[in-house]
Amino acid sequence: MMETLTNDMTVTLSERAAQHIANFIAKRGKGLGIRLGVRTSGCSGMAYKLEFVDDKTDEDLVFESFGVKVVVDPKSLPYLSGTELDFVREGLNEGFKFNNPNVKDECGCGESFNV
């Protein structure tokens, strides 16, 4: 299936996000990388799923940024294509930020989106 992907059908990590995830995997002591997906939820329709991944399926697509693997299921890829996952600090808060070019609208709390 990888042959049918175009160059813009990718999911990437910023260097800061990759370092943060690599540190967590090292502390955890295992893991192939992270799994990024979407699920139906929230006020705007879709919400991101982000979790450690220890095993992948044959259908999973694997992208790599700065040595960290990002696993995406084929159903989520159309919603995530072109997305960069960043790790940001804003004031006292820090966390992952999804820079997703497909998002048309987000809810006020920032937890969900639609495309």
Side-chain angles (χ1 to χ4, degrees):
M1 180 159 186
M2 280 294 230
E3 301 81 61
T4 62
L5 297 177
T6 62
N7 285 340
D8 63 339
M9 293 187 81
T10 61
V11 178
T12 59
L13 302 172
S14 70
E15 187 171 3
R16 179 177 277 191
Q19 288 173 345
H20 193 75
I21 293 164
N23 289 342
F24 266 107
I25 291 171
K27 286 179 188 172
R28 190 171 175 254
K30 66 177 182 172
L32 295 175
I34 60 161
R35 177 178 298 279
L36 182 56
V38 294
R39 61 183 165 82
T40 304
S41 175
C43 353
S44 292
M46 308 288 290
Y48 295 108
K49 293 188 306 186
L50 183 64
E51 60 192 13
F52 290 109
V53 62
D54 295 326
D55 299 306
K56 68 175 209 63
T57 69
D58 291 339
E59 294 180 347
D60 283 335
L61 303 165
V62 180
F63 304 95
E64 190 167 327
S65 292
F66 301 99
V68 175
K69 288 181 176 49
V70 181
V71 178
V72 179
D73 67 273
K75 290 180 182 173
S76 294
L77 186 61
Y79 303 104
L80 297 171
S81 182
T83 297
E84 179 197 51
L85 181 61
D86 195 6
F87 188 79
V88 296
R89 288 196 176 102
E90 295 172 353
L92 297 175
N93 298 320
E94 64 180 18
F96 289 106
K97 180 178 180 182
F98 296 86
N99 298 317
N100 185 340
N102 304 301
V103 171
K104 301 278 188 280
D105 193 28
E106 292 180 312
C107 71
C109 64
E111 294 295 320
S112 64
F113 65 97
N114 65 40
V115 294

